């Protein structure tokens, strides 16, 4: 079972409906949770999906439209009521702090933990977070206001020790860390045992990119080349392309074209306009260009 998962909390667009919640996702990697966008209802969805609030330490906001950030004040307040003491870092364009700080001053002045802000330049592709499990990069997007997506790149795990072989060669425990990192082993009589005889490779590191909201932007293709899973907004069908251009959003066909050009392994589309009661036309439109496309939906858990 994969330890890199995407939980879909909401995949609708700005106008609320009974079918979809506003944008929010949780990236789960090696027992840590990273939230991307926080529309209304995000914390309730975390409850429904049994995601532990205490494992969430980083929130990445793409831009300051309400359907991507109106859930933040409630979530921050709830974390305080749950007795959180560790800091919470919110990453995003500078406007995110401008929006949140007055609310925190008014309603959350006595939080038992610290809310930190990391300003991200939405016009620049850059490393914005690195920990022992992954690296997160910003992806400049094309929207009506400054907006960026995020690329989550898992770090390669260490090789697996073949216990029978390390026992056979009597490898000391003190050498195991070096061998996991790729070192050969030299026996007391000077024989060099190749690392490949003592280990087997770990599963390849996985990559996931979140691109919402954006107009058709082929310039992002090199930044997401050959990733494992791409989430790309598909707000409109091609027949509504005039509206997509007016609002700086993408059609399902355009999302699929980005996936095709980037040669990603799989495409998930979301941020659906409230005008569509039936999403099959969007899926069909995308699959004509990129067959390995599927629809996002609330409650889904995708293994990368």
């Amino acid at each position: 079972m994969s330890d890199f998962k995407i939980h879909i909390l909401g995949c609708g667009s700005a106008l609320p409906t009974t079918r979809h919640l506003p944008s929010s996702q949780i990236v789960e990697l090696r027992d840590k949770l990273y939230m991307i966008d926080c529309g209304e209802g995000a914390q309730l969805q975390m409850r429904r999906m049994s995601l532990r609030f205490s494992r969430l330490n980083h929130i990445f906001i793409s831009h300051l439209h309400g359907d991507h950030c109106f859930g933040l004040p409630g979530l921050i307040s709830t974390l305080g009521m749950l007795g959180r003491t560790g800091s919470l870092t919110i990453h995003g364009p500078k406007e995110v702090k401008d929006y949140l700080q007055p609310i925190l001053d008014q309603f959350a002045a006595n939080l038992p933990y610290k809310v930190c802000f990391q300003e991200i330049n939405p016009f620049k592709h850059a490393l914005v977070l690195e920990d022992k499990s992954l690296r997160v990069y910003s992806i400049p997007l094309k929207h009506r206001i400054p907006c960026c997506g995020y690329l989550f790149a898992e770090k390669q795990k260490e090789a697996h020790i073949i216990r029978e072989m390390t026992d056979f060669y009597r490898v000391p425990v003190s050498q195991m860390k070096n061998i996991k990192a790729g070192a050969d082993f030299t026996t007391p009589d000077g024989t060099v045992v190749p690392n490949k005889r003592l280990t087997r490779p770990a599963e390849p590191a996985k990559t996931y990119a979140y691109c919402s909201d954006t107009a058709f932007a082929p310039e992002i293709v090199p930044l997401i080349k050959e990733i494992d899973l791409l989430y790309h907004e598909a707000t409109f069908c091609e027949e509504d392309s005039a509206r997509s251009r007016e609002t700086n959003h993408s059609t399902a066909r355009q999302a699929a074209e980005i996936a095709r050009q980037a040669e990603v392994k799989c495409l998930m589309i979301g941020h659906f306009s409230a005008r569509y009661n039936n999403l099959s036309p969007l899926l069909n439109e995308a699959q004509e260009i990129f067959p390995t496309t599927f629809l996002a939906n609330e409650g889904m858990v995708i293994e990368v």
Side-chain angles (χ1 to χ4, degrees):
M1 180 178 291
S2 171
D3 58 0
F4 192 166
K5 301 175 184 177
I6 312 301
H7 301 258
I8 306 301
L9 308 184
C11 58
S13 55
L15 189 65
T17 73
T18 57
R19 300 183 302 278
H20 294 292
L21 294 170
S23 295
S24 188
Q25 298 182 8
I26 291 285
V27 175
E28 179 180 5
L29 179 59
R30 303 182 196 175
D31 294 324
K32 295 181 181 179
L33 303 182
Y34 308 82
M35 177 177 279
I36 318 174
D37 281 339
C38 188
E40 292 176 271
Q43 62 172 318
L44 292 177
Q45 282 293 89
M46 287 186 69
R47 290 287 197 195
R48 293 187 183 105
M49 298 178 73
S50 300
L51 293 166
R52 291 172 55 191
F53 287 68
S54 61
R55 293 166 57 195
L56 177 64
N57 294 308
H58 295 272
I59 300 176
F60 297 85
I61 301 298
S62 60
H63 64 297
L64 203 68
H65 276 162
D67 54 321
H68 296 259
C69 64
F70 279 171
L72 275 173
L75 174 59
I76 290 170
S77 177
T78 294
L79 292 174
M81 289 188 286
L82 290 173
R84 183 189 185 94
T85 56
S87 64
L88 174 72
T89 302
I90 299 175
H91 311 257
K94 66 180 180 64
E95 292 84 3
V96 176
K97 183 177 182 180
D98 296 340
Y99 154 63
L100 266 182
Q101 194 62 60
I103 298 174
L104 295 177
D105 293 342
Q106 180 68 37
F107 296 102
N110 297 313
L111 279 178
Y113 69 96
K114 184 178 181 180
V115 178
C116 305
F117 294 93
Q118 184 205 7
E119 180 180 327
I120 292 174
N121 182 347
F123 304 106
K124 182 180 179 182
H125 174 59
L127 177 68
V128 298
L129 174 69
E130 181 173 8
D131 61 25
K132 67 179 183 180
S133 301
L134 87 165
R135 297 181 181 91
V136 183
Y137 298 87
S138 57
I139 303 173
L141 299 177
K142 187 188 297 184
H143 198 38
R144 301 192 302 279
I145 64 173
C147 181
C148 63
Y150 296 99
L151 171 65
F152 290 77
E154 180 186 21
K155 289 186 176 179
Q156 184 62 52
K157 295 179 182 178
E158 293 179 328
H160 300 291
I161 293 290
I162 302 174
R163 183 60 59 184
E164 295 84 353
M165 298 305 293
T166 56
D167 288 347
F168 178 81
Y169 287 105
R170 298 182 181 180
V171 179
V173 173
S174 62
Q175 294 294 312
M176 292 299 185
K177 183 176 181 180
N178 292 335
I179 289 170
K180 284 184 178 181
D184 297 331
F185 172 65
T186 303
T187 65
D189 65 5
T191 302
V192 176
V193 182
N195 184 269
K196 64 182 180 180
R197 193 178 298 173
L198 302 171
T199 63
R200 64 177 183 276
E203 290 294 317
K206 302 292 186 178
T207 45
Y208 171 65
Y210 173 93
C211 296
S212 181
D213 299 13
T214 185
F216 183 61
E219 56 267 30
I220 72 172
V221 166
L223 308 181
I224 58 174
K225 196 73 173 178
E226 298 180 347
I227 64 170
D228 292 286
L229 176 61
L230 168 65
Y231 173 85
H232 195 291
E233 73 129 286
T235 308
F236 297 103
C237 278
E238 198 65 27
E239 66 181 13
D240 295 314
S241 59
R243 180 60 177 161
S244 74
R245 290 190 295 271
E246 179 184 344
T247 58
N248 275 36
H249 282 295
S250 294
T251 66
R253 181 178 294 274
Q254 289 172 331
E257 180 59 25
I258 293 293
R260 187 191 67 80
Q261 290 185 26
E263 300 177 277
V264 307
K265 292 182 181 176
C266 206
L267 169 66
M268 171 170 51
I269 56 174
H271 199 266
F272 308 117
S273 170
R275 69 182 62 197
Y276 304 115
N277 293 319
N278 177 13
L279 298 178
S280 295
L282 285 90
L283 179 61
N284 293 338
E285 187 175 283
Q287 287 182 335
E288 287 179 1
I289 304 295
F290 194 77
T292 54
T293 301
F294 64 96
L295 298 170
N297 198 19
E298 283 75 9
M300 287 180 65
V301 181
I302 304 100
E303 295 188 359
V304 179

